[in-house]
């Protein structure tokens, strides 16, 4: 739900008031802001391999190139030549780094992907043109797009519409924005039923058991606002397996070194030389386009890692120093007491 996120989404937390203790992401809740953080500098000796001097020299040469020169070099190397200058620069640097490390013993810690699969989620929810402060957004579309990080392809997807209960009649604004009609939600299952279907779908993929996976969203609202609000309305606990995720806006901004204003969905696509494919504000189409951005980032050398979690009822940033952990095996959450 891009328009709502763009106008309303806080940088690091939602307007949701406090939460239950079980909604902490970890026992000591060592979460901190990391929106503008780069990975910590290596300790002395970590970069002792001569290959890093070669990488630094290559980076210097790339920094001196103009956009046309970088595009020509991408074509020469058979890389994607689309994108703005910052994107091309990062792509070339990542390429040369991978190539040089591939032939060095220093590559040992750079070959492993963090996750086998990434699940992209972009909920659509009930809304008004001017939502009052206490408006309860109910999820009306539940999509998941599955990325295989080995093949760098979208390999499957899940989608179900959801029947709203508190505001069963969709506003005209909501219908126009999302393309979801009253008939679609009237004929849909309840959130609890749809969540159970989603859990079964994830289990069939052996995610969290055989394969390491995580979730990825366009901002904090999908998990921190929409899913949390919906779970309260449906009288179930927040799913344990969805407590940590990748906020691609933060990842994109940090990787390509661009301002937060350049991390909206359309901006990210355009900066990468791509166009939106499908209908804007369709949850499934939004998820697919977000997945395209994630795949592009992985190809450019970005190692997408979890950077947000749910703690005390609010989304918090996960420090860059936190261990890399996959999401828990999906299970249907328990009912609230």
């Amino acid at each position: 739900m891009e328009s709502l996120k763009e106008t309303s989404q806080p940088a690091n937390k939602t307007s949701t008031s406090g939460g239950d203790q079980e909604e902490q992401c970890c026992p000591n809740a060592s979460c901190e802001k990391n929106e503008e953080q780069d990975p910590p500098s290596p300790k002395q000796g970590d970069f002792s391999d001569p290959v890093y001097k070669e990488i630094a020299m290559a980076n210097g040469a790339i920094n001196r190139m103009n956009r046309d020169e970088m595009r020509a070099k991408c074509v020469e190397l058979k890389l994607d030549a689309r994108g703005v200058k910052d994107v091309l620069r990062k792509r070339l640097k990542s390429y040369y780094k991978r190539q040089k490390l591939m032939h060095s013993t220093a590559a040992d810690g750079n070959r492993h992907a963090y996750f086998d699969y990434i699940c992209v989620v972009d909920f659509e929810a009930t809304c008004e043109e001017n939502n009052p402060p206490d408006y309860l957004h109910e999820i009306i579309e539940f999509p998941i797009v599955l990325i295989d990080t080995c093949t760098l392809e979208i390999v499957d997807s899940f989608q179900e519409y959801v029947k709203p209960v508190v505001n069963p009649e969709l506003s005209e604004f909501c219908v126009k924005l999302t393309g979801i009609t009253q008939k679609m939600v009237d004929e849909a299952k309840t959130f609890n039923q749809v969540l159970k279907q989603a859990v079964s779908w994830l289990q069939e993929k052996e995610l969290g058991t055989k394969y390491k996976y995580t979730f990825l969203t366009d901002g904090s609202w999908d998990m921190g606002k929409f899913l949390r609000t919906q779970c309260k309305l449906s009288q179930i606990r927040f799913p344990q397996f969805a407590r940590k995720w990748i906020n691609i806006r933060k990842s994109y901004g940090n990787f390509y070194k661009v301002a937060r204003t350049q991390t909206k969905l359309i901006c990210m696509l355009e900066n990468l030389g791509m166009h939106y494919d499908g209908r804007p504000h369709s949850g499934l189409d939004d998820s697919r386009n977000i997945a395209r951005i994630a795949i592009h980032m992985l190809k450019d050398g970005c190692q997408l890692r979890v950077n947000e979690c749910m703690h005390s009822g609010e989304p918090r940033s996960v420090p860059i120093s936190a261990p890399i952990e996959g999401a828990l095996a999906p299970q249907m959450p328990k009912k609230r007491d």
Side-chain angles (χ1 to χ4, degrees):
M1 185 162 275
E2 181 76 6
S3 62
L4 185 59
K5 295 174 187 174
E6 289 177 9
T7 57
S8 307
Q9 180 164 257
N12 195 44
K13 65 179 181 178
T14 72
S15 58
T16 315
S17 57
D20 301 323
Q21 287 299 314
E22 76 270 16
E23 292 187 1
Q24 295 185 358
C25 64
C26 47
N28 60 1
S30 58
C31 303
E32 60 187 44
K33 290 185 178 181
N34 73 344
E35 292 95 325
E36 306 301 328
Q37 273 189 304
D38 286 326
S41 299
K43 296 178 181 178
Q44 187 175 8
D46 285 359
F47 284 175
S48 58
D49 193 297
V51 71
Y52 288 106
K53 183 176 181 179
E54 298 177 24
I55 292 171
M57 292 176 64
N59 288 346
I62 294 168
N63 286 337
R64 292 189 290 273
M65 293 181 182
N66 60 36
R67 184 168 182 261
D68 289 338
E69 290 171 333
M70 285 191 284
R71 290 184 65 185
K73 180 59 68 174
C74 284
V75 171
E76 177 187 331
L77 297 172
K78 297 182 179 180
L79 301 175
D80 192 337
R82 297 174 297 173
V84 296
K85 188 175 180 180
D86 289 338
V87 167
L88 294 172
R89 182 184 296 114
K90 188 68 177 183
R91 184 172 298 146
L92 285 170
K93 287 182 177 181
S94 295
Y95 171 82
Y96 279 110
K97 182 177 180 180
R98 288 196 303 272
Q99 290 299 307
K100 291 184 181 297
L101 289 178
M102 196 178 298
H103 304 290
S104 166
T105 56
D108 293 343
N110 294 275
R111 288 175 177 163
H112 179 66
Y114 291 150
F115 307 103
D116 299 307
Y117 291 94
I118 295 175
C119 296
V120 181
V121 174
D122 193 84
F123 298 119
E124 295 302 318
T126 56
C127 57
E128 302 284 349
E129 188 165 8
N130 296 298
N131 296 312
D134 58 348
Y135 186 86
L136 294 174
H137 298 283
E138 296 176 84
I139 292 175
I140 54 175
E141 184 182 0
F142 195 135
I144 306 174
V145 169
L146 189 65
I147 300 172
D148 184 327
T149 61
C150 180
T151 63
L152 297 180
E153 295 177 337
I154 295 173
V155 292
D156 206 348
S157 63
F158 169 91
Q159 183 205 35
E160 287 289 338
Y161 295 110
V162 184
K163 183 193 296 291
V165 177
V166 176
N167 295 295
E169 295 294 323
L170 301 183
S171 67
E172 183 179 349
F173 172 79
C174 184
V175 172
K176 286 183 178 179
L177 179 70
T178 65
I180 299 172
T181 66
Q182 188 64 48
K183 186 174 185 290
M184 290 177 180
V185 295
D186 285 344
E187 295 176 350
K189 297 180 177 68
T190 65
F191 177 77
N192 287 24
Q193 293 171 314
V194 171
L195 179 59
K196 186 174 182 180
Q197 287 182 275
V199 168
S200 295
W201 185 84
L202 294 168
Q203 290 173 339
E204 289 170 3
K205 306 295 180 187
E206 298 183 277
L207 302 182
T209 50
K210 183 176 180 180
Y211 300 107
K212 190 174 180 179
Y213 80 110
T214 192
F215 289 93
L216 182 148
T217 64
D218 178 27
S220 302
W221 267 47
D222 292 281
M223 299 301 190
K225 178 71 172 180
F226 295 144
L227 184 56
R228 182 174 186 275
T229 299
Q230 184 63 63
C231 286
K232 280 194 168 185
L233 293 174
S234 299
Q235 297 183 320
I236 57 175
R237 298 182 184 277
F238 193 95
Q240 290 285 343
F241 62 87
R243 293 189 185 280
K244 296 182 181 181
W245 63 89
I246 299 167
N247 178 341
I248 198 170
R249 295 193 183 199
K250 289 183 180 179
S251 301
Y252 182 95
N254 288 337
F255 185 68
Y256 293 116
K257 307 300 182 187
V258 299
R260 186 174 295 165
T261 55
Q262 294 298 305
T263 62
K264 296 174 183 178
L265 178 54
I266 296 299
C267 289
M268 290 190 287
L269 285 167
E270 290 179 349
N271 286 344
L272 291 171
M274 298 187 289
H275 298 288
Y276 189 96
D277 185 12
R279 186 194 189 286
H281 312 303
S282 156
L284 185 59
D285 286 348
D286 280 354
S287 298
R288 284 175 175 155
N289 282 279
I290 296 164
R292 291 170 64 208
I293 294 168
I295 290 170
H296 218 298
M297 292 176 67
L298 290 168
K299 288 180 177 178
D300 279 351
C302 178
Q303 290 184 305
L304 291 168
R305 60 180 292 155
V306 167
N307 53 20
E308 286 189 343
C309 70
M310 184 65 78
H311 171 60
S312 296
E314 294 183 349
R316 301 281 183 86
S317 290
V318 173
I320 200 74
S321 58
I324 306 299
E325 298 176 337
L328 297 177
Q331 299 288 336
M332 189 65 186
K334 296 179 180 180
K335 291 186 177 182
R336 287 181 176 272
D337 298 329

